[in-house]
Amino acid sequence: MQSVCQRVGTCSSCLKRRLNGFLGLIKWQRRLVPPCVRTIYSETGKWEKSYGLETRKRVENWWLPRLKDQVCRISETNKSRPKFYVLSMFPYPSGKLHMGHVRVYTISDAVARFQKMRGMQVINPMGWDAFGLPAENAAVEHGLHPASWTQSNIQHMREQFDALGLSFTWEREITTCLPEYYKWTQYLFLKLFEAGIVYQKEALVNWDPVDQTVLANEQVDDNGCSWRSGAKVEQKYLKQWFIKTTAYAKAMFDALSDLPEWYGIKEMQANWIGDCVGCYLDFLLKVNGEVTGEKLAAYTYTPEAVYGASHLYILPTHRLLHGNSSLKEVFQREFIPGKDSLTSVTAVNLLTDQEIPVVISAKNNFENFLDTKIGIPSTSAEDAAVAKNLGISFTEVIETLPNGLEKVINSAEITGMTRQEALKAITQQAKKKRIGGDLTSDKLRDWLISRQRYWGTPIPIIHCQMCGTVPVPYEDLPVVLPDVSTFTGKGASPLETAPEWVNCFCPRCKAAARREADTMDTFVDSSWYYLRYTDPHNRDRPFNSDLADYWMPVDLYIGGKEHAVMHLFYARFFSHFCHDLKMTKHKEPFHKLLVQGLIKNQTFRLTTTGQCLKREEVDLTGAEPVHLKTGEKLQVAWEKMSKSKHNGIDPEELVKEYGIDTLRLYILFAAPPEQDILWDAKTDAMPGVQRWQTRLWALVTKLIEARTSGTMPSPELLNMKEKAEARKIWEQKNLVISEVTEYFTKDHLFNAAISRLMSLTNILHQASRPLILHSTEFEDALASLCIMVAPMAPHIASEMWKGLAHMQNKLCTHHHWDADVLHQSWPKVDPEYLQPSDVVGMSVLINNKACGTVFVPQQAARNFEEVHELVLQSELGVKHLQGRTIKKAFLSPRTALINFLVQE
């Protein structure tokens, strides 16, 4: 599949700008660098001692294009290698990145780089959730075609991604509004249609009576009025397409137990689905003995007792009383408000062939979202009361034996079964006949996917007067959107105004027919995109099963908590469905979830009107913020960044001010991923990560200067104290490697990982000059530190590594100095560190005050006499204890501590 940028092409002016910039760069590189200008090693071969603003800019300008795309590019999948699939939820191409984008994609980028360094075959793909209402609104307001608006936005956002140093697997890019993608969305729709999991029925929509058009929920204001015409929005019944997600409710509920890494989200999914104890069964409606053609699905909590059904129960708000049903007049005539109303309409159970009356309930609501129930007196006292009150006869179908066991009676072929056996038999029969039977809850509803919009995936259905609803043949896919040029936001869907597209021929009888003019909910496009990433250029099928089986499940899925219910539910549904079609071997699509918090900033609202003010309209000099013009006190709150609230921050401006690495480190350090970040760059983590980068750079400078001082490094020249110090550095290096690796792989606590790297930085800064010059441990610890920094701050780490790699007289030979830092293997804990140590650092206290540490052999560490003697003979003992009267000494082997009480 071509990327959108490839399809759009590069305009001549853009090409000229790029060429001019490139030629300018070459000319600049050829010039001699004036002595007053900061330089970097990669440009000049000379190490710059300090990491100031100019050095930072040069480092990032140099490395940004060189690091682009190098991490996760895979020419061909090698299925023999271990894989890691990290996926961040793809964005809607609004045209501008916000700080929420920066956070989620910085996390996925750091994880991808880390896993690549661990030897994994990694994909970190990116694409565009490109259909949706904003593009159509832009067409109405600005006269831009949705395709042009979307493609322009994608191009701009790709440039923004590149400017942030984010390295995605761009060769796997997908765009949901391109026919080569939505062809396969339509293909999956047809598979659902074949399986009986897609159907059409009437449902309520928001109707603008002035513009005569359907409105999305977000186009209706808080007062219930249309955002464009201002008219009061009405509720109107239209035929809509549904996906029967309830058919998978029980399977998806049960599968949650196989998702141990879905911390917190599993409960939200379980609550959304609900307890799957009952099922829907289909009924055919009759009036005066005549079949009407109306079908109705009704819910029962006790399917095993369905032979004891007495009536079908519907609410007064049911679509049959208010929509376009042929029975509407009968129901309205026979309905008595406030009373249970027995009607002349009957319902034939398509499983049992029993015919029972339809009753309109006196209630306004049933449990949760039900509007149709099967009345079964044997299992419900309320149903029994309704039946008796209306004089409806019924049969008892549950018998309780003396031992307490309940059996089914008077129920045809399931008579004599236990209730559990009967439940299984009834639901299996109904599923086999495709008339219901899927266990679900009373709160889960089927997924309404119809949208009366242009900018969406066309529903591949043709309506024929002779043949009815006919699926478009697979060989005719994709059904491509027509090129509609005029968008008014009024009247019918824009697709209805394209007669050459709407009018077609029935694929069965070849008679004149009409295409379905609704498009699909954009959630459908995003419910299977993770599978397309595994094989994005396949022209013959949605994806190759072997490739999907290799890459799936996604090892780490990253996104906002606002998608923790609906999107994840729909994505899981499609994954289960594809598994049932033998397209994939994995049922569940995502192994582990990382749900990141929001980035919030302060909002300043006028108390009188609630209007949000811009920062420049606020006086912050006093004890409390006030309106600059009026002096009115303001309501101050931390809220999600938003343009409308005037509290957003442009990531591009932050990059200019602080740099890419600083922004990345801030995002990762300010809070654990699941928590919200309260943006306060001046007093918060920003200065901390800036200082840390300066200190990291200073460490490299120290080592380079020591190794170019003219003295050859020689570890043998270190004395006992310095060797002990080197040992401490070695131990800290191993401890930090162990902890940081765990933070990256288990909890994704990047803030804790950075904190541990900062502590190792501090320890290395305490090293003496002889240690820096002669110690292998110092060099190795600094190299390991540089490697561990690289996934999070790749630009500064790359330049520091380049300086170390070209340093003379290196002592460590196990690093691949000729390769860039991002191509190094992630550091491993030394095997010796994992073994019991040969020596123990014994803390020495004199009169309960710490004086230092003496290293003693492991085998002597629990023996009081030996420790006592070794401490007295040590340099510390000679200095602090020689010539003094020791009254008593205490040894604590567990805490490796000895305390001397001496005469003052």
Side-chain angles (χ1 to χ4, degrees), residues 171-183:
E171 66 268 22
R172 292 175 181 266
E173 180 183 20
I174 59 173
T175 306
T176 60
C177 68
L178 296 182
E180 49 262 48
Y181 181 87
Y182 69 70
K183 170 183 180 176

Side-chain angles (χ1 to χ4, degrees), residues 9 24 131 140 189 191 227 355 380 397-398 424 459 470-471 550 560 562 716 738 744 762 773 808 813 827 866:
F131 275 135
V140 174
F189 177 94
K191 289 293 182 185
W227 69 320
E355 188 171 342
S380 167
V397 292
I398 302 294
K424 186 176 180 181
I459 293 175
V470 181
Y550 170 75
E562 65 272 22
E716 294 78 17
S738 171
F744 261 96
N762 293 338
L773 174 60
Q808 297 175 358
T813 58
E866 289 189 52

Side-chain angles (χ1 to χ4, degrees), residues 457-477:
T457 297
I459 293 175
I461 291 292
I462 291 170
H463 299 284
C464 173
Q465 287 192 331
M466 298 291 293
C467 304
T469 301
V470 181
V472 171
Y474 287 105
E475 60 269 21
D476 291 346
L477 297 181

Side-chain angles (χ1 to χ4, degrees), residues 41 800-808 810 816-819:
Y41 183 88
M800 290 192 303
W801 185 263
K802 189 66 76 176
L804 292 174
H806 288 80
M807 176 182 68
Q808 297 175 358
K810 288 189 286 292
H816 302 291
W817 295 108
D818 56 338

Side-chain angles (χ1 to χ4, degrees), residues 575-870:
S575 186
H576 277 247
F577 179 68
C578 287
H579 171 79
D580 284 356
L581 292 183
K582 305 288 189 277
M583 294 172 72
T584 61
K585 72 177 180 183
H586 300 286
K587 274 189 180 181
E588 288 295 331
F590 312 120
H591 171 67
K592 188 171 187 175
L593 294 180
L594 199 166
V595 179
Q596 97 281 357
L598 302 172
I599 298 185
K600 296 181 175 180
N601 202 358
Q602 286 183 311
T603 54
F604 302 93
R605 295 176 188 270
L606 290 170
T607 310
T608 49
T609 64
Q611 176 193 346
C612 285
L613 300 178
K614 296 177 182 177
R615 182 74 61 138
E616 56 267 28
E617 297 175 310
V618 180
D619 182 357
L620 296 167
T621 57
E624 292 182 335
V626 295
H627 192 191
L628 203 58
K629 284 185 179 177
T630 65
E632 180 185 340
K633 283 187 179 181
L634 303 174
Q635 293 176 338
V636 183
W638 290 95
E639 298 184 54
K640 180 181 177 180
M641 288 186 182
S642 163
K643 184 190 283 187
S644 63
K645 296 173 185 173
H646 305 300
N647 70 337
I649 295 174
D650 186 350
E652 291 182 56
E653 294 302 316
L654 290 172
V655 168
K656 285 179 189 174
E657 184 175 354
Y658 297 107
I660 301 169
D661 286 336
T662 303
L663 179 58
R664 287 168 64 100
L665 289 171
Y666 174 86
I667 289 288
L668 297 171
F669 184 55
E674 291 87 354
Q675 291 183 14
D676 294 340
I677 292 177
L678 304 182
W679 185 268
D680 192 349
K682 290 185 174 58
T683 60
D684 202 10
M686 193 71 85
V689 294
Q690 285 179 307
R691 285 193 301 270
W692 181 43
Q693 290 172 90
T694 304
R695 287 170 63 76
L696 284 169
W697 191 273
L699 283 174
V700 178
T701 300
K702 278 185 179 183
L703 185 56
I704 290 174
E705 287 181 341
R707 295 295 170 81
T708 54
S709 64
T711 305
M712 287 294 291
S714 178
E716 294 78 17
L717 296 177
L718 295 174
N719 62 32
M720 288 300 292
K721 180 182 178 184
E722 289 161 348
K723 285 181 179 177
E725 191 180 347
R727 174 88 187 184
K728 181 182 177 185
I729 287 174
W730 176 82
E731 289 174 346
Q732 283 299 312
K733 178 207 74 171
N734 280 290
L735 177 61
V736 170
I737 289 172
S738 171
E739 292 180 336
V740 171
T741 303
E742 187 163 322
Y743 288 136
F744 261 96
T745 54
K746 290 189 178 178
D747 305 319
H748 303 290
L749 296 175
F750 306 105
N751 60 317
I754 291 172
S755 181
R756 295 301 291 125
L757 294 174
M758 286 177 169
S759 72
L760 182 57
T761 305
N762 293 338
I763 288 166
L764 293 180
H765 265 290
Q766 295 165 13
S768 61
R769 181 169 173 76
L771 201 69
I772 296 170
L773 174 60
H774 297 298
S775 165
T776 305
E777 290 84 355
F778 182 93
E779 182 182 308
D780 188 35
L782 180 53
S784 299
L785 176 60
C786 192
I787 293 169
M788 289 188 283
V789 168
M792 297 180 283
H795 307 88
I796 186 174
S798 295
E799 183 62 21
M800 290 192 303
W801 185 263
K802 189 66 76 176
L804 292 174
H806 288 80
M807 176 182 68
Q808 297 175 358
N809 307 315
K810 288 189 286 292
L811 297 172
C812 295
T813 58
H814 61 279
H815 295 295
H816 302 291
W817 295 108
D818 56 338
D820 288 341
V821 68
L822 288 166
H823 293 287
Q824 301 299 312
S825 295
W826 185 259
K828 291 184 173 65
V829 175
D830 294 317
E832 184 189 344
Y833 179 77
L834 300 173
Q835 303 300 320
S837 178
D838 293 334
V839 295
V840 173
M842 190 65 63
S843 299
V844 179
L845 277 67
I846 298 176
N847 291 338
N848 300 314
K849 291 182 180 178
C851 287
T853 302
V854 173
F855 290 93
V856 302
Q858 174 74 40
Q859 61 269 26
R862 305 186 73 83
N863 187 297
F864 172 77
E865 287 77 14
E866 289 189 52
V867 173
H868 188 277
E869 190 60 31
L870 287 167

